[in-house]
Amino acid sequence: MIAIIDYNAGNLKSVEKAFVSLKEECVVTRDLNTILSADKVVLPGVGAFGKAMAQLKKYELDKAIKDVVQEGKPFLGICLGLQLLFEGSEESSGVEGLDILDGQIIRIPSKEGIKIPHIGWNSLDIAKDARLFKGLGVNPYVYFVHSYYLKAKDESIVKATTDYGVNIHASVEKDNVFACQFHPEKSSSVGLKILENFCNIQ
């Protein structure tokens, strides 16, 4: 069973619908016991970094997420859910992230021809050993909606990048932790394949 964490900041329905279309048993929940007993856990996210961290702490979901990761269960962060896994964000100065992975979330720099937020389809450059992207072709297109991007401290965990005025770390993998800056649930057949690959990870 897949637990999709509900902390009032997630794109919950479309994520749930995507897993249901893959015939996966899933539940949208903030119940700690349900999350801790799940086989896999997903942290979606839409909105501001600081408010999202406050919500996670309010429901003690920050502790549950760290327990799930420590237990070695497959964990997937999506969009803001990726950003929250890191140390902090320029969006919310002074607010500590979950600090599960090392890196900072930085605002996409203003440049001529670059609209912020970044909304739309971009192609990915994928690392050969990327488990989430197994079976996908070269440079698949996925759907982004964001104003801030990840700069991971350890680039060996970066498994997909894209360019939008700057090189964006678009997906990371470390042990049982996976995350995407883009929205797989909104990325058509490519996104469904990514979610299917996550479901197949043991």
Side-chain angles (χ1 to χ4, degrees), residues 48-115:
F49 188 96
K51 183 177 179 181
M53 278 305 306
Q55 291 291 99
L56 289 178
K57 289 181 178 180
K58 175 182 176 181
Y59 299 116
E60 298 185 350
L61 293 166
D62 55 333
K63 297 175 185 176
I65 289 168
K66 290 180 180 181
D67 287 345
V68 165
V69 169
Q70 192 168 7
E71 286 178 17
K73 293 182 180 181
F75 183 93
L76 175 64
I78 296 174
C79 196
L80 181 60
L82 168 143
Q83 298 181 6
L84 294 169
L85 293 172
F86 288 85
E87 298 165 58
S89 173
E90 288 185 352
E91 183 178 23
S92 303
S93 180
V95 176
E96 290 185 6
L98 293 168
D99 202 12
I100 290 169
L101 300 172
D102 295 331
Q104 290 290 332
I105 308 303
I106 302 167
R107 183 168 174 81
I108 297 172
S110 298
K111 292 183 180 179
E112 187 176 350
I114 298 294
K115 292 183 178 180

Side-chain angles (χ1 to χ4, degrees), residues 5-199:
I5 297 177
D6 176 8
Y7 60 111
N8 296 332
N11 189 23
L12 300 172
K13 282 298 176 187
S14 57
V15 173
E16 181 185 26
K17 185 177 178 181
F19 281 114
V20 168
S21 74
L22 293 170
K23 297 181 169 52
E24 293 290 337
E25 181 186 358
C26 61
V27 60
V28 175
T29 183
R30 66 173 62 118
D31 179 76
L32 301 180
N33 289 330
T34 302
I35 293 167
L36 292 171
S37 64
D39 300 308
K40 295 177 174 68
V41 178
V42 178
L43 179 67
V46 175
F49 188 96
K51 183 177 179 181
M53 278 305 306
Q55 291 291 99
L56 289 178
K57 289 181 178 180
K58 175 182 176 181
Y59 299 116
E60 298 185 350
L61 293 166
D62 55 333
K63 297 175 185 176
I65 289 168
K66 290 180 180 181
D67 287 345
V68 165
V69 169
Q70 192 168 7
E71 286 178 17
K73 293 182 180 181
F75 183 93
L76 175 64
I78 296 174
C79 196
L80 181 60
L82 168 143
Q83 298 181 6
L84 294 169
L85 293 172
F86 288 85
E87 298 165 58
S89 173
E90 288 185 352
E91 183 178 23
S92 303
S93 180
V95 176
E96 290 185 6
L98 293 168
D99 202 12
I100 290 169
L101 300 172
D102 295 331
Q104 290 290 332
I105 308 303
I106 302 167
R107 183 168 174 81
I108 297 172
S110 298
K111 292 183 180 179
E112 187 176 350
I114 298 294
K115 292 183 178 180
I116 302 173
H118 169 208
I119 301 175
W121 296 81
N122 275 64
S123 64
L124 298 175
D125 289 318
I126 299 170
K128 290 181 180 178
D129 61 344
R131 289 176 284 169
L132 277 188
F133 301 94
K134 185 178 179 181
L136 289 172
V138 178
N139 305 128
Y141 277 81
V142 292
Y143 190 77
F144 288 85
V145 182
H146 65 124
S147 299
Y148 294 81
Y149 74 98
L150 165 65
K151 187 173 179 63
K153 186 174 182 180
D154 177 8
E155 294 201 8
S156 71
I157 72 170
V158 179
K159 301 304 179 183
T161 61
T162 194
D163 286 303
Y164 190 74
V166 66
N167 185 253
I168 289 169
H169 293 168
S171 185
V172 296
E173 299 180 12
K174 184 179 181 183
D175 301 325
N176 57 309
V177 178
F178 302 81
C180 303
Q181 177 60 68
F182 56 88
H183 286 274
E185 78 282 5
K186 294 182 178 180
S187 297
S188 192
S189 59
V190 168
L192 285 178
K193 179 61 177 173
I194 290 167
L195 295 178
E196 182 181 17
N197 286 338
F198 174 71
C199 292

